[in-house]
Amino acid sequence: MRGELAEAQLSQYSANGFLLITEALDAGEVEEIKAAAEGLCAIDSPARTMEPDGVTVRAVHGCHATSDVFAELVRDPRLLLPARQIVGGDVYIHQSKVNAKRALVGDVWQWHQDFVFWQREDGMREPAVVNVAVLVDEATVVNGPLLLIPGSHRKDGIDTVALTSEESEKGWSSHLAADLEYTVGSPDLRRLTANADIFPAVGPAGSLLLFDSRIVHGSGVNMSPLDRRMAIFTYNSISNIPVPVESARPEFLSARNVEPLKLLEKLDR
Ligand code: 6CS
Ligand code: FE
């Protein structure tokens, strides 16, 4: 069925921990996503985080619940079917976001593993979860592409370097800041890159990047005059609904609606 991954793609995903599918969405769809993303970036709300300069939008979270375009996109067969295949069943969106990585000022995302945040902060028990990202802008070697370490999703013994209470900003903002609460430190990075070349997720706007919640990834500053916006949807298995935690994070970071997503009956565009 349109959107489902072939066996070869599934094996590549399992081996590397990620899969890049170029030109999955057409130019018209990308323009619609850009407009929706900019609409959300313009709204001052707790779901919007800023770069250290205090004026540039860094990310907006919860977009699948606040925008019709994103609410539809997460049910598109080209995203939902691969997510179901990888997770192995029905899924819902645990978290969604647009990372803006704005031209010239988009700041770093330090090396980290996503699952650490969802396990420690949201009560997620297993990594039965997959990130499906849409390249909203073309990602090139110069506008701060997402960097991934192939195979790191299968490596044990990766230590998490946690900020001390003095270092970390209050609450969940240190989970989304340029100075992250949980990162992967140099010793592990040296070990993980000894036999694996860092993969820059470069590709045209409209490409899809699927990546495992345990893969070590990050991105540098955007030194170019071109934005590198990415919309990232975290599809979690409905059999992996997080256990209740004390001081749960806001809904735009850890969704409370765990209804399984229904496929959008899309007309073939
Ligand atoms: O805390 C979180 O949920 C978010 N933080 C990072 C650095 N990646 C995972 C997730 O988007
Ligand atoms: Fe991440």
Side-chain angles (χ1 to χ4, degrees):
M1 184 176 183
R2 180 170 181 247
E4 273 185 339
L5 300 177
E7 269 318 303
Q9 290 175 305
L10 287 168
S11 346
Q12 199 185 343
Y13 176 85
S14 163
N16 290 331
F18 61 86
L19 177 70
L20 182 65
I21 305 170
T22 54
E23 292 164 343
L25 305 180
D26 67 34
E29 294 170 310
V30 170
E31 286 312 306
E32 195 180 31
I33 293 168
K34 275 183 187 167
E38 289 310 314
L40 294 177
C41 287
I43 300 168
D44 180 4
S45 90
R48 183 179 77 171
T49 51
M50 308 304 273
E51 295 289 10
D53 68 8
V55 294
T56 307
V57 177
R58 177 174 171 87
V60 184
H61 283 78
C63 45
H64 72 288
T66 51
S67 147
D68 294 344
V69 169
F70 289 115
E72 240 193 52
L73 182 59
V74 298
R75 297 171 50 221
D76 187 300
R78 292 166 289 182
L79 284 80
L80 181 51
L81 290 179
R84 283 184 182 164
Q85 282 178 282
I86 287 169
V87 162
D90 274 339
V91 291
Y92 72 95
I93 297 292
H94 170 69
Q95 184 179 100
S96 61
K97 55 195 175 264
V98 173
N99 284 346
K101 193 70 90 173
R102 288 297 198 212
L104 301 173
V105 287
D107 210 332
V108 67
W109 284 88
Q110 293 167 294
W111 290 107
H112 66 278
Q113 293 174 290
D114 288 354
F115 183 62
V116 171
F117 290 83
W118 301 330
Q119 188 178 40
R120 293 189 184 189
E121 301 299 331
D122 300 334
M124 191 181 283
R125 288 153 301 165
E126 298 298 328
V129 62
V130 59
N131 289 308
V132 180
V134 176
L135 297 191
V136 180
D137 293 300
E138 179 187 16
T140 72
V141 291
V142 298
N143 64 349
L146 191 66
L147 305 174
L148 305 116
I149 302 180
S152 56
H153 64 306
R154 285 185 281 108
K155 293 284 188 293
D156 293 328
I158 297 176
D159 289 331
T160 298
V161 178
L163 292 179
T164 62
S165 50
E166 292 72 43
E167 288 166 326
S168 85
E169 296 176 41
K170 292 294 152 266
W172 48 263
S173 46
S174 64
H175 307 157
L176 313 175
D179 200 9
L180 281 183
E181 172 121 28
Y182 308 121
T183 56
V184 176
S186 309
D188 277 326
L189 291 169
R190 288 191 203 291
R191 175 170 64 88
L192 293 167
T193 53
N195 306 306
D197 296 334
I198 292 172
F199 177 84
V202 297
S207 303
L208 292 181
L209 176 74
L210 287 71
F211 59 104
D212 189 290
S213 65
R214 293 157 298 181
I215 197 159
V216 175
H217 63 290
S219 57
V221 299
N222 183 351
M223 306 285 280
S224 85
L226 301 170
D227 288 345
R228 193 236 64 206
R229 290 165 288 193
M230 270 176 92
I232 307 178
F233 305 102
T234 301
Y235 289 85
N236 188 29
S237 166
I238 57 161
S239 56
N240 190 38
I241 293 165
V243 297
V245 289
E246 254 183 66
S247 58
R249 297 199 297 177
E251 185 151 11
F252 55 77
L253 286 180
S254 178
R256 296 333 186 238
N257 175 359
V258 296
E259 273 304 299
L261 288 171
K262 289 190 178 51
L263 207 52
L264 198 62
E265 301 308 321
K266 266 184 92 62
L267 302 174
D268 247 336
R269 284 183 188 250

